[in-house]
Amino acid sequence: MLIEIALALATSVAGLPATEASGAPTIEYHAIVTSDAPAPFVGPVVDTTGSLGTATFSARTLTSLASIPADNIPEFFAARPGAIEQILASQPPAQEVALWWGDLATDSQTALEIASPQLLGNLEGVPYTIRDVSNRTVLEETIVDLTAVVNSDAGRAVQQSARQQLNMLSSISESLAFDRAAPERTLITLDVTGQGKAAIVLGDLSEADYVSFLVPGMFFTIEGQMSYWADAAYTLYCEQQQWLDHFESQSVFTRNETVATVAWIGYDTPNLTNVGAIDNANQGRDTLADAILGLQALRGVDQPYISVVAHSYGTTAAMMALSEYDFEIDALAMVGSPGSPARSVDDLHVRGGNVFVGEAAWDPIPNSSYFGADPGTQAFGAKSLGVGGAYDVVMKQPLAGSVGHNDYFTPGTESMRNFALLCIGRSDLVIPEDAPTVQRAVASVDNTQS
Protein backbone atom coordinates (compact mmCIF):
# COMPACT_ATOMS: atom_id res chain seq x y z
CA MET A 1 0.00 0.00 0.00
CA LEU A 2 2.78 2.42 0.91
CA ILE A 3 4.45 1.88 -2.47
CA GLU A 4 1.25 2.79 -4.31
CA ILE A 5 0.92 5.94 -2.20
CA ALA A 6 4.60 6.74 -2.74
CA LEU A 7 4.16 6.44 -6.49
CA ALA A 8 1.41 9.04 -6.39
CA LEU A 9 3.51 11.30 -4.17
CA ALA A 10 6.51 10.96 -6.45
CA THR A 11 4.58 12.57 -9.28
CA SER A 12 3.78 15.53 -7.02
CA VAL A 13 7.42 16.13 -6.09
CA ALA A 14 8.10 17.70 -9.47
CA GLY A 15 5.84 20.59 -8.56
CA LEU A 16 7.66 21.40 -5.33
CA PRO A 17 10.55 23.79 -4.83
CA ALA A 18 11.99 20.31 -4.40
CA THR A 19 10.94 17.99 -1.56
CA GLU A 20 10.38 14.41 -0.56
CA ALA A 21 8.19 12.38 -0.99
CA SER A 22 15.97 -3.92 12.43
CA GLY A 23 16.77 -4.44 15.23
CA ALA A 24 18.76 -2.48 17.81
CA PRO A 25 22.24 -1.43 16.67
CA THR A 26 25.17 -3.44 17.90
CA ILE A 27 27.85 -1.14 19.28
CA GLU A 28 31.35 -2.18 20.22
CA TYR A 29 33.73 0.47 21.52
CA HIS A 30 37.45 0.58 22.19
CA ALA A 31 38.91 3.51 24.08
CA ILE A 32 41.14 5.93 22.19
CA VAL A 33 44.25 6.42 24.28
CA THR A 34 46.53 9.31 23.41
CA SER A 35 48.46 10.18 26.56
CA ASP A 36 50.30 6.83 26.66
CA ALA A 37 50.03 5.94 23.02
CA PRO A 38 51.59 2.66 21.87
CA ALA A 39 54.09 2.30 19.09
CA PRO A 40 52.78 3.11 15.61
CA PHE A 41 50.11 0.68 14.50
CA VAL A 42 51.58 -1.79 12.03
CA GLY A 43 48.65 -4.18 11.79
CA PRO A 44 46.55 -4.76 8.68
CA VAL A 45 46.31 -1.89 6.22
CA VAL A 46 42.55 -2.34 6.49
CA ASP A 47 40.88 -4.92 8.69
CA THR A 48 39.16 -6.90 5.94
CA THR A 49 38.65 -9.96 8.14
CA GLY A 50 36.53 -8.21 10.75
CA SER A 51 38.58 -9.89 13.47
CA LEU A 52 39.19 -6.62 15.29
CA GLY A 53 35.64 -5.39 15.20
CA THR A 54 35.05 -2.28 13.13
CA ALA A 55 34.76 0.12 16.06
CA THR A 56 37.90 -1.33 17.64
CA PHE A 57 39.78 -0.99 14.36
CA SER A 58 38.67 2.63 14.07
CA ALA A 59 39.78 3.44 17.61
CA ARG A 60 43.14 1.74 17.14
CA THR A 61 43.73 3.62 13.91
CA LEU A 62 43.05 6.99 15.54
CA THR A 63 45.30 6.03 18.43
CA SER A 64 48.07 5.24 15.98
CA LEU A 65 47.72 8.63 14.33
CA ALA A 66 48.41 10.27 17.68
CA SER A 67 51.62 8.32 18.12
CA ILE A 68 53.39 8.91 14.81
CA PRO A 69 55.27 12.05 13.73
CA ALA A 70 53.16 14.61 11.90
CA ASP A 71 55.35 14.30 8.80
CA ASN A 72 54.45 10.61 8.52
CA ILE A 73 50.67 11.09 8.55
CA PRO A 74 50.31 11.44 4.74
CA GLU A 75 52.32 8.23 4.30
CA PHE A 76 50.12 6.50 6.90
CA PHE A 77 46.97 7.15 4.86
CA ALA A 78 48.68 6.40 1.55
CA ALA A 79 49.43 2.90 2.84
CA ARG A 80 45.87 2.43 4.06
CA PRO A 81 43.57 3.63 1.24
CA GLY A 82 40.44 2.17 2.82
CA ALA A 83 41.06 3.25 6.40
CA ILE A 84 39.15 6.54 6.23
CA GLU A 85 35.97 4.90 4.93
CA GLN A 86 36.22 2.18 7.55
CA ILE A 87 36.65 4.64 10.42
CA LEU A 88 33.68 6.72 9.27
CA ALA A 89 31.52 3.63 8.78
CA SER A 90 31.93 2.66 12.43
CA GLN A 91 33.04 5.67 14.43
CA PRO A 92 34.35 5.49 17.99
CA PRO A 93 32.27 7.35 20.62
CA ALA A 94 32.22 11.09 19.94
CA GLN A 95 33.38 11.82 23.49
CA GLU A 96 36.48 9.70 22.91
CA VAL A 97 37.13 11.42 19.58
CA ALA A 98 36.83 14.85 21.21
CA LEU A 99 39.44 13.87 23.81
CA TRP A 100 41.66 12.37 21.11
CA TRP A 101 41.53 15.55 19.04
CA GLY A 102 42.19 17.75 22.06
CA ASP A 103 45.27 15.69 23.00
CA LEU A 104 46.79 15.83 19.51
CA ALA A 105 49.80 18.06 18.98
CA THR A 106 49.10 21.14 16.86
CA ASP A 107 51.36 19.94 14.05
CA SER A 108 49.53 16.60 13.96
CA GLN A 109 46.17 18.36 13.78
CA THR A 110 47.41 20.46 10.86
CA ALA A 111 48.83 17.41 9.10
CA LEU A 112 45.50 15.59 9.47
CA GLU A 113 43.57 18.55 8.08
CA ILE A 114 45.78 18.48 4.98
CA ALA A 115 46.09 14.72 4.54
CA SER A 116 42.55 13.60 5.39
CA PRO A 117 39.89 16.34 5.16
CA GLN A 118 37.27 13.67 4.35
CA LEU A 119 37.92 12.01 7.72
CA LEU A 120 37.95 15.17 9.83
CA GLY A 121 34.95 16.64 8.05
CA ASN A 122 32.70 13.76 9.08
CA LEU A 123 34.17 12.50 12.34
CA GLU A 124 31.80 13.22 15.24
CA GLY A 125 33.72 14.81 18.11
CA VAL A 126 35.97 16.96 15.93
CA PRO A 127 35.21 20.71 16.37
CA TYR A 128 32.68 22.03 13.87
CA THR A 129 34.96 24.77 12.57
CA ILE A 130 37.51 22.13 11.57
CA ARG A 131 34.80 19.99 9.98
CA ASP A 132 33.46 22.92 7.98
CA VAL A 133 36.85 23.82 6.54
CA SER A 134 37.63 20.17 5.78
CA ASN A 135 34.31 19.51 4.06
CA ARG A 136 34.53 22.70 2.01
CA THR A 137 37.99 21.60 0.90
CA VAL A 138 36.68 18.22 -0.26
CA LEU A 139 33.69 19.90 -1.91
CA GLU A 140 35.78 22.41 -3.85
CA GLU A 141 38.42 19.88 -4.89
CA THR A 142 35.80 17.39 -6.06
CA ILE A 143 33.99 20.06 -8.08
CA VAL A 144 37.26 20.98 -9.79
CA ASP A 145 38.00 17.32 -10.59
CA LEU A 146 34.49 16.66 -11.93
CA THR A 147 34.57 19.81 -14.05
CA ALA A 148 37.78 18.60 -15.62
CA VAL A 149 36.15 15.26 -16.46
CA VAL A 150 33.11 16.97 -17.99
CA ASN A 151 35.38 19.10 -20.18
CA SER A 152 37.64 16.19 -21.16
CA ASP A 153 37.42 13.71 -24.02
CA ALA A 154 36.22 10.95 -21.69
CA GLY A 155 33.42 8.70 -22.88
CA ARG A 156 29.83 9.91 -22.88
CA ALA A 157 28.82 7.70 -19.95
CA VAL A 158 31.74 8.92 -17.86
CA GLN A 159 30.97 12.54 -18.65
CA GLN A 160 27.27 12.08 -17.88
CA SER A 161 28.03 10.50 -14.52
CA ALA A 162 30.44 13.31 -13.68
CA ARG A 163 27.90 15.91 -14.76
CA GLN A 164 25.20 14.44 -12.51
CA GLN A 165 27.55 14.30 -9.53
CA LEU A 166 28.64 17.86 -10.29
CA ASN A 167 25.02 19.01 -10.21
CA MET A 168 24.62 17.38 -6.79
CA LEU A 169 27.69 19.07 -5.36
CA SER A 170 26.80 22.41 -6.93
CA SER A 171 23.50 22.33 -5.04
CA ILE A 172 25.45 22.02 -1.79
CA SER A 173 27.78 24.83 -2.77
CA GLU A 174 24.84 27.09 -3.64
CA SER A 175 23.07 26.23 -0.37
CA LEU A 176 26.14 27.33 1.60
CA ALA A 177 25.94 30.87 0.23
CA PHE A 178 24.41 33.35 2.66
CA ASP A 179 23.75 37.05 2.96
CA ARG A 180 25.96 38.95 5.39
CA ALA A 181 22.87 39.79 7.44
CA ALA A 182 21.87 36.11 7.65
CA PRO A 183 23.31 33.52 10.04
CA GLU A 184 26.58 31.90 9.04
CA ARG A 185 26.31 28.53 7.30
CA THR A 186 28.68 25.66 7.98
CA LEU A 187 29.02 22.26 6.31
CA ILE A 188 29.39 19.60 9.00
CA THR A 189 28.65 16.49 6.93
CA LEU A 190 29.62 15.69 3.35
CA ASP A 191 29.58 12.50 1.29
CA VAL A 192 30.28 13.11 -2.38
CA THR A 193 29.49 9.54 -3.49
CA GLY A 194 26.20 8.06 -4.67
CA GLN A 195 23.17 10.27 -4.07
CA GLY A 196 25.28 12.16 -1.54
CA LYS A 197 24.85 13.24 2.06
CA ALA A 198 25.20 16.66 3.64
CA ALA A 199 24.30 18.66 6.72
CA ILE A 200 24.31 22.45 6.63
CA VAL A 201 24.07 24.41 9.86
CA LEU A 202 22.58 27.88 10.16
CA GLY A 203 23.94 29.51 13.27
CA ASP A 204 26.65 28.37 15.67
CA LEU A 205 26.33 24.80 16.96
CA SER A 206 29.11 25.40 19.45
CA GLU A 207 27.30 28.25 21.21
CA ALA A 208 23.57 28.15 20.40
CA ASP A 209 21.11 27.79 23.26
CA TYR A 210 18.65 25.92 21.04
CA VAL A 211 19.57 23.42 18.31
CA SER A 212 17.08 21.88 15.87
CA PHE A 213 17.68 19.03 13.42
CA LEU A 214 15.40 18.87 10.35
CA VAL A 215 15.15 15.24 9.22
CA PRO A 216 13.67 14.59 5.74
CA GLY A 217 11.84 11.58 4.37
CA MET A 218 11.36 9.79 1.07
CA PHE A 219 12.44 11.24 -2.26
CA PHE A 220 14.73 13.85 -0.71
CA THR A 221 18.02 14.00 -2.58
CA ILE A 222 20.96 16.35 -2.31
CA GLU A 223 20.69 17.29 -5.96
CA GLY A 224 16.97 17.98 -5.87
CA GLN A 225 16.23 19.21 -2.36
CA MET A 226 19.34 20.53 -0.58
CA SER A 227 18.48 24.13 -1.40
CA TYR A 228 14.86 23.67 -0.33
CA TRP A 229 15.88 22.01 2.94
CA ALA A 230 18.39 24.77 3.72
CA ASP A 231 15.64 27.33 3.05
CA ALA A 232 13.33 25.46 5.43
CA ALA A 233 16.07 25.53 8.09
CA TYR A 234 16.49 29.25 7.49
CA THR A 235 12.76 29.88 7.89
CA LEU A 236 12.74 27.89 11.12
CA TYR A 237 15.83 29.76 12.34
CA CYS A 238 14.20 33.13 11.70
CA GLU A 239 10.92 32.16 13.37
CA GLN A 240 12.68 30.87 16.45
CA GLN A 241 14.80 33.99 16.75
CA GLN A 242 11.75 36.22 16.29
CA TRP A 243 9.94 34.43 19.11
CA LEU A 244 12.98 34.67 21.38
CA ASP A 245 13.23 38.40 20.66
CA HIS A 246 9.52 38.77 21.42
CA PHE A 247 9.82 36.99 24.77
CA GLU A 248 12.88 39.02 25.73
CA SER A 249 11.07 42.26 24.90
CA GLN A 250 8.39 41.24 27.42
CA SER A 251 10.92 40.43 30.13
CA VAL A 252 13.02 42.49 32.52
CA PHE A 253 15.91 40.07 31.96
CA THR A 254 18.36 40.15 29.06
CA ARG A 255 19.27 36.67 27.89
CA ASN A 256 20.46 37.15 24.29
CA GLU A 257 19.58 33.53 23.52
CA THR A 258 20.56 32.14 20.14
CA VAL A 259 19.52 29.27 17.89
CA ALA A 260 21.07 26.97 15.32
CA THR A 261 19.14 24.86 12.82
CA VAL A 262 20.56 21.90 10.91
CA ALA A 263 19.39 21.13 7.37
CA TRP A 264 20.25 17.46 7.78
CA ILE A 265 20.24 15.01 4.87
CA GLY A 266 22.58 12.57 6.54
CA TYR A 267 21.24 9.31 5.14
CA ASP A 268 20.15 7.82 1.83
CA THR A 269 16.46 8.65 1.74
CA PRO A 270 14.37 5.98 0.00
CA ASN A 271 12.96 6.13 -3.50
CA LEU A 272 10.30 4.09 -5.27
CA THR A 273 12.53 1.02 -5.41
CA ASN A 274 13.07 0.73 -1.65
CA VAL A 275 10.53 2.92 0.13
CA GLY A 276 8.77 -0.16 1.50
CA ALA A 277 11.91 -1.41 3.27
CA ILE A 278 13.34 -0.44 6.64
CA ASP A 279 17.02 -0.48 5.56
CA ASN A 280 17.31 3.25 4.87
CA ALA A 281 15.65 4.02 8.20
CA ASN A 282 18.29 1.88 9.92
CA GLN A 283 20.97 4.01 8.30
CA GLY A 284 19.14 7.22 9.21
CA ARG A 285 18.75 5.97 12.80
CA ASP A 286 22.49 5.46 13.16
CA THR A 287 23.71 8.63 11.47
CA LEU A 288 21.18 10.86 13.25
CA ALA A 289 22.13 9.33 16.59
CA ASP A 290 25.82 9.88 15.79
CA ALA A 291 25.15 13.54 14.93
CA ILE A 292 23.28 14.24 18.16
CA LEU A 293 25.76 12.33 20.31
CA GLY A 294 28.54 14.28 18.60
CA LEU A 295 26.87 17.57 19.48
CA GLN A 296 26.37 16.52 23.09
CA ALA A 297 29.99 15.39 23.36
CA LEU A 298 31.35 18.70 22.06
CA ARG A 299 29.07 20.84 24.21
CA GLY A 300 30.04 19.08 27.45
CA VAL A 301 28.46 20.77 30.48
CA ASP A 302 26.98 23.51 28.28
CA GLN A 303 24.22 21.44 26.68
CA PRO A 304 21.74 23.16 24.33
CA TYR A 305 18.02 22.49 24.10
CA ILE A 306 17.92 19.87 21.32
CA SER A 307 14.91 19.27 19.08
CA VAL A 308 14.22 17.07 16.09
CA VAL A 309 11.66 18.03 13.44
CA ALA A 310 11.06 14.99 11.24
CA HIS A 311 9.00 14.45 8.10
CA SER A 312 7.55 11.27 6.59
CA TYR A 313 10.03 8.37 6.43
CA GLY A 314 12.37 10.57 8.46
CA THR A 315 10.02 10.20 11.44
CA THR A 316 10.58 6.45 11.30
CA ALA A 317 14.36 6.91 11.40
CA ALA A 318 14.09 9.52 14.17
CA MET A 319 11.87 7.37 16.40
CA MET A 320 14.21 4.43 15.92
CA ALA A 321 17.19 6.57 16.95
CA LEU A 322 15.33 7.89 19.99
CA SER A 323 14.19 4.47 21.15
CA GLU A 324 17.23 2.32 20.34
CA TYR A 325 20.09 4.62 21.41
CA ASP A 326 20.88 5.79 24.92
CA PHE A 327 20.62 9.57 24.69
CA GLU A 328 17.87 12.11 25.27
CA ILE A 329 16.62 15.18 23.46
CA ASP A 330 14.19 17.87 24.59
CA ALA A 331 11.49 17.90 21.90
CA LEU A 332 10.34 15.88 18.91
CA ALA A 333 7.90 17.06 16.23
CA MET A 334 6.69 14.64 13.55
CA VAL A 335 4.55 15.23 10.48
CA GLY A 336 3.34 12.85 7.77
CA SER A 337 4.57 9.76 9.63
CA PRO A 338 4.25 6.16 8.40
CA GLY A 339 4.98 4.85 11.91
CA SER A 340 7.89 3.04 13.56
CA PRO A 341 8.71 0.06 15.80
CA ALA A 342 8.41 2.38 18.83
CA ARG A 343 5.01 1.67 20.39
CA SER A 344 4.44 4.83 22.43
CA VAL A 345 5.92 8.06 23.70
CA ASP A 346 7.26 6.08 26.66
CA ASP A 347 9.63 4.26 24.28
CA LEU A 348 11.16 7.51 23.06
CA HIS A 349 13.99 9.22 24.92
CA VAL A 350 12.38 12.66 24.84
CA ARG A 351 12.34 14.59 28.10
CA GLY A 352 8.94 15.17 29.63
CA GLY A 353 7.19 13.24 26.86
CA ASN A 354 7.54 16.37 24.74
CA VAL A 355 6.45 14.63 21.53
CA PHE A 356 4.08 16.27 19.03
CA VAL A 357 2.45 14.87 15.88
CA GLY A 358 0.73 16.70 13.02
CA GLU A 359 -1.27 15.42 10.05
CA ALA A 360 -2.32 17.64 7.15
CA ALA A 361 -5.53 17.21 5.20
CA TRP A 362 -5.12 14.99 2.14
CA ASP A 363 -1.82 13.58 3.38
CA PRO A 364 -2.07 9.85 2.56
CA ILE A 365 0.92 8.71 4.64
CA PRO A 366 -0.30 9.22 8.26
CA ASN A 367 -2.51 6.45 9.65
CA SER A 368 -0.86 3.89 7.34
CA SER A 369 1.13 2.39 10.24
CA TYR A 370 3.34 0.83 7.59
CA PHE A 371 6.46 0.61 9.76
CA GLY A 372 4.74 0.06 13.09
CA ALA A 373 2.70 2.07 15.57
CA ASP A 374 1.08 5.25 14.25
CA PRO A 375 2.30 8.15 16.43
CA GLY A 376 -0.90 10.03 15.62
CA THR A 377 -3.14 7.64 17.54
CA GLN A 378 -4.37 8.35 21.04
CA ALA A 379 -2.74 5.14 22.28
CA PHE A 380 0.71 6.36 21.24
CA GLY A 381 0.44 9.27 23.67
CA ALA A 382 1.86 12.13 21.58
CA LYS A 383 0.40 15.62 21.73
CA SER A 384 -1.50 17.21 18.87
CA LEU A 385 0.33 19.62 16.57
CA GLY A 386 -1.92 21.94 14.59
CA VAL A 387 -1.06 22.20 10.89
CA GLY A 388 -4.43 23.03 9.32
CA GLY A 389 -4.31 26.82 9.61
CA ALA A 390 -5.14 29.07 12.54
CA TYR A 391 -4.87 32.55 13.98
CA ASP A 392 -1.88 33.41 16.15
CA VAL A 393 -3.38 35.35 19.04
CA VAL A 394 0.08 36.25 20.37
CA MET A 395 1.49 37.76 17.18
CA LYS A 396 -2.00 38.66 15.92
CA GLN A 397 -1.58 37.20 12.45
CA PRO A 398 -3.23 34.46 10.36
CA LEU A 399 -1.40 31.22 9.75
CA ALA A 400 -1.83 29.24 6.55
CA GLY A 401 -2.79 25.59 6.59
CA SER A 402 -0.75 22.73 5.14
CA VAL A 403 -2.37 20.41 2.60
CA GLY A 404 -1.00 17.11 1.34
CA HIS A 405 2.28 15.47 2.19
CA ASN A 406 4.81 18.14 1.25
CA ASP A 407 3.45 21.43 2.57
CA TYR A 408 4.49 21.36 6.23
CA PHE A 409 7.61 23.51 5.82
CA THR A 410 6.09 26.38 3.84
CA PRO A 411 6.79 29.82 5.38
CA GLY A 412 3.78 31.38 7.09
CA THR A 413 2.11 28.09 7.95
CA GLU A 414 0.77 27.04 11.31
CA SER A 415 3.11 24.06 11.26
CA MET A 416 6.24 26.22 10.96
CA ARG A 417 5.02 28.49 13.74
CA ASN A 418 4.46 25.48 16.00
CA PHE A 419 7.81 23.93 15.08
CA ALA A 420 9.56 27.16 16.07
CA LEU A 421 7.91 27.29 19.48
CA LEU A 422 8.59 23.63 20.21
CA CYS A 423 12.24 24.09 19.32
CA ILE A 424 12.73 26.88 21.87
CA GLY A 425 10.96 25.08 24.69
CA ARG A 426 7.61 26.87 24.47
CA SER A 427 5.29 23.94 23.89
CA ASP A 428 2.75 25.73 26.07
CA LEU A 429 2.03 28.05 23.13
CA VAL A 430 1.76 25.34 20.46
CA ILE A 431 -1.65 25.38 18.82
CA PRO A 432 -3.20 21.88 18.86
CA GLU A 433 -5.34 20.59 16.02
CA ASP A 434 -8.42 20.81 18.24
CA ALA A 435 -7.88 24.50 19.12
CA PRO A 436 -10.99 26.59 19.92
CA THR A 437 -13.29 27.04 16.93
CA VAL A 438 -12.96 30.83 16.91
CA GLN A 439 -9.20 30.53 16.50
CA ARG A 440 -9.66 28.28 13.46
CA ALA A 441 -12.51 30.35 12.06
CA VAL A 442 -10.50 33.57 11.88
CA ALA A 443 -7.78 31.75 9.95
CA SER A 444 -10.33 30.18 7.65
CA VAL A 445 -11.87 33.53 6.72
CA ASP A 446 -8.48 35.09 6.09
CA ASN A 447 -7.32 32.18 3.93
CA THR A 448 -10.52 32.36 1.87
CA GLN A 449 -10.04 36.06 1.21
CA SER A 450 -6.44 35.52 0.19
Side-chain angles (χ1 to χ4, degrees):
M1 180 64 179
L2 180 64
I3 296 177
E4 287 81 356
I5 295 173
L7 180 60
L9 289 173
T11 62
S12 71
V13 171
L16 294 172
T19 89
E20 120 162 339
S22 155
T26 300
I27 308 173
E28 179 186 3
Y29 293 138
H30 185 281
I32 302 173
V33 181
T34 59
S35 56
D36 296 308
F41 177 48
V42 293
V45 172
V46 176
D47 179 30
T48 57
T49 66
S51 59
L52 292 175
T54 53
T56 299
F57 175 83
S58 299
R60 286 188 61 181
T61 303
L62 294 182
T63 299
S64 299
L65 287 168
S67 66
I68 64 177
D71 291 343
N72 292 349
I73 287 178
E75 180 183 352
F76 180 95
F77 284 110
R80 298 162 176 80
I84 291 176
E85 287 76 9
Q86 191 163 352
I87 294 170
L88 293 177
S90 185
Q91 300 190 21
Q95 184 63 53
E96 295 283 353
V97 172
L99 293 172
W100 165 80
W101 178 260
D103 283 348
L104 281 176
T106 301
D107 60 343
S108 292
Q109 291 180 344
T110 301
L112 279 168
E113 291 180 55
I114 296 171
S116 57
Q118 177 191 354
L119 174 64
L120 294 189
N122 296 279
L123 190 58
E124 298 295 344
V126 173
Y128 292 117
T129 52
I130 301 297
R131 290 174 64 177
D132 178 52
V133 171
S134 297
N135 284 327
R136 286 175 186 264
T137 298
V138 172
L139 179 65
E140 293 168 3
E141 291 179 350
T142 307
I143 287 176
V144 169
D145 292 343
L146 290 171
T147 301
V149 173
V150 169
N151 295 328
S152 72
D153 57 358
R156 180 180 300 177
V158 174
Q159 286 187 333
Q160 180 59 32
S161 176
R163 187 174 290 107
Q164 183 172 355
Q165 190 179 13
L166 187 59
N167 289 339
M168 175 188 73
L169 299 183
S170 294
S171 71
I172 297 174
S173 183
E174 293 167 2
S175 299
L176 285 169
F178 66 96
D179 186 280
R180 289 185 179 275
E184 182 179 2
R185 300 189 181 199
T186 55
L187 183 60
I188 63 167
T189 298
L190 177 67
D191 183 350
V192 300
T193 63
Q195 72 180 54
K197 302 180 187 70
I200 295 176
V201 180
L202 288 83
D204 186 353
L205 278 186
S206 301
E207 300 290 341
D209 299 289
Y210 303 93
V211 174
S212 313
F213 288 83
L214 277 70
V215 182
M218 58 187 178
F219 308 144
F220 261 74
T221 65
I222 298 297
E223 181 179 357
Q225 281 74 39
M226 189 73 254
S227 178
Y228 168 76
W229 210 226
D231 287 345
Y234 175 70
T235 299
L236 184 61
Y237 175 96
C238 292
E239 291 222 18
Q240 289 182 64
Q241 201 63 62
Q242 287 169 4
W243 277 106
L244 287 175
D245 292 344
H246 167 76
F247 295 138
E248 184 155 314
S249 70
Q250 306 297 310
S251 173
V252 295
F253 301 103
T254 301
R255 295 185 175 87
N256 293 322
E257 293 178 313
T258 60
V259 303
T261 55
V262 186
W264 188 87
I265 309 182
Y267 75 115
D268 293 325
T269 61
N271 52 43
L272 284 175
T273 67
N274 57 12
V275 69
I278 200 72
D279 297 13
N280 294 66
N282 286 333
Q283 183 193 85
R285 168 199 65 192
D286 297 340
T287 52
L288 178 61
D290 285 346
I292 295 174
L293 286 166
L295 171 65
Q296 293 176 334
L298 284 173
R299 292 296 295 266
V301 297
D302 180 28
Q303 289 294 311
Y305 188 97
I306 301 175
S307 305
V308 170
V309 179
H311 179 218
S312 189
Y313 191 93
T315 68
T316 303
M319 284 189 281
M320 291 169 65
L322 291 168
S323 60
E324 298 176 28
Y325 277 84
D326 188 19
F327 67 89
E328 288 187 324
I329 65 170
D330 298 285
L332 171 64
M334 298 181 286
V335 286
S337 176
S340 86
R343 292 171 295 180
S344 75
V345 168
D346 293 336
D347 293 334
L348 303 176
H349 301 153
V350 182
R351 296 183 181 93
N354 198 21
V355 179
F356 284 74
V357 178
E359 301 177 6
W362 303 103
D363 185 347
I365 297 298
N367 306 317
S368 67
S369 300
Y370 189 86
F371 293 110
D374 176 7
T377 63
Q378 184 175 358
F380 194 87
K383 301 169 186 176
S384 172
L385 181 83
V387 299
Y391 187 80
D392 188 335
V393 296
V394 178
M395 295 297 188
K396 295 180 174 54
Q397 62 184 18
L399 302 165
S402 301
V403 178
H405 190 60
N406 296 306
D407 200 25
Y408 296 102
F409 298 92
T410 301
T413 55
E414 180 186 6
S415 56
M416 286 299 284
R417 180 259 192 201
N418 284 338
F419 293 155
L421 286 166
L422 275 177
C423 292
I424 58 171
R426 292 306 304 265
S427 59
D428 57 308
L429 291 177
V430 168
I431 303 173
E433 196 57 54
D434 58 353
T437 303
V438 63
Q439 199 169 6
R440 297 275 169 213
V442 172
S444 176
V445 169
D446 183 87
N447 289 339
T448 300
Q449 291 176 345
S450 62

